Amino acid sequence: MSRIVLKAILGFVMRVLYRPKVEGMERIPATGPVILAGNHVTFIDSLFLSLVVKRPVYFIGKDEYVTGKGLKGRLMAWFFTSAGMIPVDRDGGHGGVAALMTGRRVLEEGSVFGIYPEGTRSPDGRLYRGRTGIARLTLMTGAPVVPFAMIGTDKVQPGGKGRPHIAPVTVRFGEPLDFSRYDGMDRDRYVLRAVTDEVMSDVMELSGQEYVDIYATKARAA
């Protein structure tokens, strides 16, 4: 119920203020597990994704978003969980495994799981090398991957902080990718890299971003 309420209210505000253009929505399967994999340019990407997709979308978020104290903390927890965020401690030694297993559980339940293969927001608007967790998920579950691109959200919230601005937004979905030809090969690092690179190639084509073949975390640290 909270998801329906949040989507109704924010969906109305979003349509009035931003009038987002959505392309290729029909490419998302109406039923069954599916992975939505796209670029990540600002904090509110997940919010726009959840609001434009007809099916509920679940994604991983930092547990600190739902552990705040007082009224503000409770409101933030309600907001993020209603938007589809599943809190995971990603800073711990097993954070990556926890995120992977959470995504696998969502897909095995037949739901939609959203993921940003870059692993973090782009530090400069370019598209960075994808991490192979996306490949592990599709090969372990058999779920198709629908690539997507967020275009213009970096103008809505430059730098991922501060009050959102009014700017045109486009959410573009590509053709579903089927990797069943690699069935049973989810531990082969060459296969994992090939699958990940194929997904990122489609994201690059959809977004029009310049591609950089290093991890975004390395670029951010530099």
Side-chain angles (χ1 to χ4, degrees), residues 6-221:
L6 181 67
K7 191 166 186 175
I9 296 173
L10 286 185
F12 174 76
V13 173
M14 182 186 70
R15 286 191 297 272
V16 171
L17 295 180
Y18 298 102
R19 301 181 182 275
K21 182 179 180 182
V22 183
E23 302 175 1
M25 178 71 74
E26 72 282 356
R27 293 167 174 166
I28 301 176
T31 59
V34 59
I35 301 170
L36 301 181
N39 60 333
H40 196 14
V41 292
T42 192
F43 177 77
I44 60 174
D45 289 336
S46 297
L47 182 58
F48 270 93
L49 183 66
S50 295
L51 291 175
V52 303
V53 175
K54 297 177 181 178
R55 296 178 62 184
V57 180
Y58 298 92
F59 55 92
I60 297 298
K62 295 180 180 180
D63 60 350
E64 63 189 59
Y65 293 147
V66 299
T67 55
K69 304 295 183 181
L71 178 60
K72 181 180 179 180
R74 291 195 295 271
L75 287 174
M76 287 184 63
W78 175 83
F79 177 84
F80 284 111
T81 54
S82 297
M85 192 196 87
I86 302 174
V88 170
D89 180 5
R90 299 186 302 176
D91 295 328
H94 300 287
V97 175
L100 185 66
M101 291 301 101
T102 299
R104 181 176 184 175
R105 174 175 58 81
V106 169
L107 294 168
E108 289 178 343
E109 292 173 353
S111 300
V112 181
F113 186 68
I115 187 172
Y116 303 108
E118 291 169 280
T120 187
R121 294 193 298 273
S122 171
D124 55 15
R126 296 185 293 177
L127 186 69
Y128 284 83
R129 194 180 200 208
R131 296 189 176 274
T132 58
I134 174 68
R136 292 182 185 276
L137 277 177
T138 185
L139 296 184
M140 286 191 300
T141 64
V145 178
V146 175
F148 71 87
M150 308 298 295
I151 303 171
T153 52
D154 56 331
K155 303 299 189 299
V156 173
Q157 195 176 37
K161 298 180 180 180
R163 181 178 299 177
H165 303 162
I166 304 300
V169 171
T170 297
V171 185
R172 184 176 294 149
F173 297 96
E175 294 289 347
L177 301 174
D178 175 22
F179 295 104
S180 58
R181 62 188 182 278
Y182 296 124
D183 186 39
M185 303 176 70
D186 59 284
R187 294 184 181 276
D188 187 313
R189 64 190 182 96
Y190 296 105
V191 168
L192 295 176
R193 175 46 55 192
V195 169
T196 303
D197 287 348
E198 183 173 339
V199 172
M200 297 308 291
S201 176
D202 277 24
V203 173
M204 178 182 66
E205 184 175 347
L206 291 166
S207 69
Q209 291 170 283
E210 177 187 349
Y211 179 75
V212 184
D213 195 23
I214 62 172
Y215 293 120
T217 50
K218 185 175 181 179
R220 187 183 298 276

